[in-house]
């Protein structure tokens, strides 16, 4: 019997930092700069109150100063953790210096962006108060100090990567683990509430929040905290899911404007549609460029039977559950009709056919106006004045007082979409972990090998296509009522605003293919960013392209990645074939001997 050995890769030796400074002095520079950055947020940064956030007051931070304060505090914590202060070691379980640099960059980016924005918006550097100059210099010091700290390499990836072999976390009682999950969920709710509450005319504040979240998240990732939090979520998956659901329920009660609840409802609508597309693209590996058409089929089917006076069947008004079943059924039928003749194609050919189907749907509903074709969809005018839903006597179009807070129309639809999202997540998880789900993954990895193993590739792909279409149709029924009307213009491959197929596909790819939270996170970012940064709406596709290029370069598995994708896209240091044979318990000899 031979003895198997495992080849291990020794970690790369740490190199000196880019800036030639002694490490103790560099850490001191980071700490001093972080403290100075925090102190500068209590000074006035400009004398003109026209800049969003009113940064003219001395004594307390406001607007972008608050974000700079948070970034400075994060930098200070990582600087102190580097000194080995008791109680702060959990912040950096990996022990590397990359979190210090990334936290310092977050403060630097927020402060310097604010200074540039003040100068640009108000017309020159003369609009900067001494507090802004102090903040700019102070935020530069931690970056210089962090660049002087040693790290394994000099490349950009070496500066943002987390170290290998992060030690396991100390055992914690179950209640403490659940408390950590609850606190992290609460933090996510605070960040989302702050971001969605930024007014449309305060794009500078929203950009500052994006910079803080981007570099702050990278610092937490480089420290290894995301890895440990993922382990906690996997250990308490049911509790974590419940915590996220409760946070979403609490969200409408934190808003004073129903418009923000409208944003939340639409994010959930497009997030659930992206989850349906994730079955097709993420699990099965089929590139569908016309998926938004299934959302349109469900929306039109529900609009036709919901009592609108502009509907071809204006005298028909069915309950919501019936309208939902009709929308799902119509999308399911169209999914089978389109999928049956086309799913025997692969790769680019399938993508072209699905793109053609999406355009055919939009053109068809645009021509069913009684002049170019039968009068069914009212052509480009669409079906308008769709009445609000009434479920068990509860009118979703009216405001209601719940727990002392007034929940408006969009808040009601947000609660409805939460229930539908929970249903779709349940269907996705059950399907992905079932026998058919494993068949989808096998088809995605290698269709030829899967077919050789006895999997009926065509039938499996058709089931994925039909299930994804029906989930999009379910979301389409709510989409029709939330927007009061259904028109053909949004249902195209790429448009000025979602929904469109490019938006949905980008949400899946950016968020993380094959995961549940990835498409929801991707849809939230891609819907909220153009909404808050109105000047980017003309460059939406350009922004999608830049984001995809950066993500494919630095994190090809998406923001939220499953274990399979991480192993596929990143080197793990493990050998594909061991140097010596492993014992085969079935035949009693080693594989090398066999």
């Amino acid at each position: 019997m031979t003895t198997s050995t495992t080849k291990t890769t020794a970690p790369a030796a740490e190199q000196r930092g880019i800036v030639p400074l002694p490490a103790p002095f560099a850490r001191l520079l980071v700490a001093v700069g972080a403290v100075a950055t925090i102190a500068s947020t209590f000074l006035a940064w400009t004398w003109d109150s026209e800049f969003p956030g009113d940064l003219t007051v001395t004594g307390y931070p406001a607007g972008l100063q608050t974000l700079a304060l948070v970034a400075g505090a994060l930098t200070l914590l990582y600087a102190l953790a580097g000194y080995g202060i008791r109680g702060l070691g959990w912040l950096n379980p990996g022990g590397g210096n990359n979190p210090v640099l990334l936290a310092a960059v977050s403060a630097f980016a927020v402060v310097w962006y604010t200074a540039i924005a003040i100068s640009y918006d108000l017309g020159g550097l003369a609009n900067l108060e001494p507090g802004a100059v102090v903040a700019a210099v102070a935020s530069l010091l931690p970056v210089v100090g962090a660049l002087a700290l040693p790290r394994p390499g000099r490349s950009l990836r070496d500066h943002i990567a987390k170290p290998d072999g992060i030690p396991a976390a100390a055992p914690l009682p179950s209640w403490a683990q659940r408390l950590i999950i609850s606190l992290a969920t609460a933090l996510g709710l605070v960040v989302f509430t702050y971001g969605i509450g930024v007014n449309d005319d305060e794009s500078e504040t929203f950009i500052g929040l994006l910079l803080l979240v981007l570099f702050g998240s990278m610092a937490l990732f480089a420290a290894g905290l995301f890895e440990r939090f993922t382990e906690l979520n996997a250990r308490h998956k049911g509790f974590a899911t419940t915590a996220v659901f409760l946070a979403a329920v609490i969200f409408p009660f934190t808003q004073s404007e129903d418009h923000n609840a409208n944003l939340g409802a639409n994010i959930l609508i497009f997030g659930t549609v992206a989850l349906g597309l994730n079955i097709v693209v993420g699990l099965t590996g089929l590139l569908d460029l016309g998926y938004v058409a299934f959302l349109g089929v469900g929306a039109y089917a529900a609009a036709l039977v919901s009592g609108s006076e502009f509907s071809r069947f204006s005298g028909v008004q069915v309950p919501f559950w019936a309208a939902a079943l009709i929308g799902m059924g119509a999308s399911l039928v169209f999914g089978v009709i389109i999928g049956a003749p086309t799913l025997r194609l692969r790769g680019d050919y399938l993508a072209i056919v699905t793109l053609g189907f999406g355009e055919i749907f939009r053109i068809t509903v645009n021509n069913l106006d009684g002049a170019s074709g039968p009068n069914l969809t009212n052509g480009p005018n669409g079906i308008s004045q769709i009445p609000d839903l009434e479920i068990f006597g509860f009118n979703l179009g009216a405001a209601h007082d719940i727990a002392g807070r007034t929940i408006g129309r969009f808040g009601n639809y947000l609660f409805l979409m939460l229930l539908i999202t929970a249903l779709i997540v349940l269907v996705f998880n059950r399907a992905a972990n079932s026998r058919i789900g494993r068949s989808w993954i096998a088809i995605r990895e290698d269709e030829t090998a899967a077919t050789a193993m006895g999997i009926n590739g065509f039938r499996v792909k058709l089931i994925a296509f039909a299930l994804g279409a029906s989930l999009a149709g379910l979301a389409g029924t709510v989409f029709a009522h939330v927007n009061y009307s259904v028109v053909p213009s949004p249902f195209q491959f790429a448009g000025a605003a979602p929904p469109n197929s490019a938006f949905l596909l980008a949400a899946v790819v950016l968020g993380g293919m094959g995961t549940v939270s990835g498409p929801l996170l991707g849809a939230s970012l891609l819907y909220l960013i153009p909404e808050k940064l109105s000047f980017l709406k003309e460059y939406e596709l350009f922004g999608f392209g830049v984001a995809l290029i950066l993500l494919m370069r630095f994190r090809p598995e998406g923001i939220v990645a499953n274990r399979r994708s991480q192993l596929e896209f990143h080197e793990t240091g493990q050998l594909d074939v061991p140097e010596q044979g492993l014992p085969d318990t079935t035949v009693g000899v080693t594989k090398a001997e066999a």
Side-chain angles (χ1 to χ4, degrees), residues 274-533:
L275 269 179
L277 178 60
N278 200 20
I279 294 177
V280 179
V281 176
L283 294 181
T284 318
L286 305 175
L287 183 56
D288 189 346
L289 299 182
Y291 185 79
V292 74
F294 297 122
L295 174 68
V297 171
Y300 269 101
L304 288 171
V305 297
S306 294
S308 170
E309 62 177 290
F310 292 94
S311 169
R312 180 69 175 81
F313 312 105
S314 57
V316 178
Q317 184 173 5
V318 302
F320 170 69
W321 63 267
L325 290 177
I326 291 173
M328 291 180 65
S331 297
L332 176 64
V333 170
F334 271 84
V336 173
I337 292 176
I338 299 301
T342 61
L343 287 178
R344 300 186 186 278
L345 301 174
R346 297 187 187 183
D348 298 339
Y349 301 100
L350 177 62
I352 293 172
V353 170
T354 55
L355 176 62
F357 162 65
E359 290 301 303
I360 289 172
F361 168 77
R362 182 179 60 84
I363 294 172
T364 300
V365 296
N366 198 55
N367 290 330
L368 296 179
D369 56 355
S372 303
N375 184 14
L376 183 62
T377 64
N378 205 22
N381 295 322
I383 302 173
S384 58
Q385 296 186 13
I386 300 174
D388 284 306
L389 294 172
E390 187 169 338
I391 303 176
F392 300 118
F394 188 87
N395 186 0
L396 272 66
H400 299 83
D401 290 332
I402 303 176
R405 296 299 299 266
T406 300
I407 303 300
R409 175 180 184 269
F410 295 116
N412 297 329
Y413 280 104
L414 175 60
F415 288 136
L416 175 62
M417 276 309 305
L418 280 175
L419 296 176
I420 293 178
T421 302
L423 175 63
I424 292 179
V425 168
L426 177 63
V427 171
F428 182 93
N429 279 328
R430 298 292 292 177
N433 296 323
S434 66
R435 181 178 179 180
I436 190 67
R438 291 192 292 271
S439 299
W440 289 337
I441 295 175
I443 291 292
R444 182 192 67 191
E445 297 299 324
D446 193 328
E447 184 173 351
T448 302
T451 303
M453 295 298 293
I455 297 176
N456 188 331
F458 173 75
R459 181 177 67 86
V460 167
K461 290 190 292 185
L462 186 60
I463 292 174
F465 214 71
L467 179 58
S470 61
L471 296 181
L474 175 59
T477 60
V478 182
F479 174 78
H481 290 87
V482 169
N483 293 279
Y484 289 117
S485 63
V486 183
V487 294
S489 55
F491 306 109
Q492 50 187 320
F493 173 71
N500 55 67
S501 293
F503 171 91
L504 296 172
L505 185 61
V508 173
V509 175
L510 291 175
M513 294 188 294
T515 64
V516 173
S517 55
L520 296 176
L521 177 61
S524 300
L525 292 175
L526 294 180
Y527 188 87
L528 200 57
I529 291 175
E531 181 69 25
K532 296 300 181 180
L533 305 179

Side-chain angles (χ1 to χ4, degrees), residues 137-269:
V137 175
S139 64
L140 180 62
L141 297 180
V143 177
V144 175
L147 288 174
L149 296 175
R151 52 184 38 84
R154 297 285 181 92
S155 67
L156 178 59
R157 184 180 292 274
D158 293 327
H159 285 73
I160 63 177
K162 64 180 179 64
D164 296 328
I166 296 177
L172 294 174
S174 182
W175 65 266
Q177 297 178 17
R178 288 184 169 88
L179 178 61
I180 293 173
I181 294 174
S182 301
L183 292 176
T185 305
L187 177 62
L189 175 61
V190 169
V191 173
F192 181 78
T193 302
Y194 183 89
I196 206 171
V198 175
N199 296 327
D200 296 344
D201 58 349
E202 297 179 345
S203 58
E204 294 87 352
T205 303
F206 191 79
I207 293 176
L209 177 64
L210 290 179
L211 292 173
L212 173 60
V213 171
L214 174 62
F215 291 107
S217 299
M218 292 173 66
L220 299 181
F221 170 79
L225 289 180
F226 278 2
E227 182 175 315
R228 288 193 170 178
F229 185 70
T230 301
E231 294 175 357
L232 283 182
N233 273 342
R235 197 173 303 153
H236 304 279
K237 190 173 183 180
F239 180 83
T241 303
T242 304
V244 173
F245 182 80
L246 290 177
V249 171
I250 294 172
F251 166 73
F253 295 95
T254 65
Q255 302 300 308
S256 58
E257 297 182 8
D258 203 34
H259 172 68
N260 294 336
N262 180 28
L263 296 179
N266 279 284
I267 286 173
L268 285 178
I269 289 173

Side-chain angles (χ1 to χ4, degrees), residues 7-9 571-575:
K7 182 178 179 180
T8 59
T9 304
E571 296 181 0
T572 61
Q574 298 177 353
L575 294 177

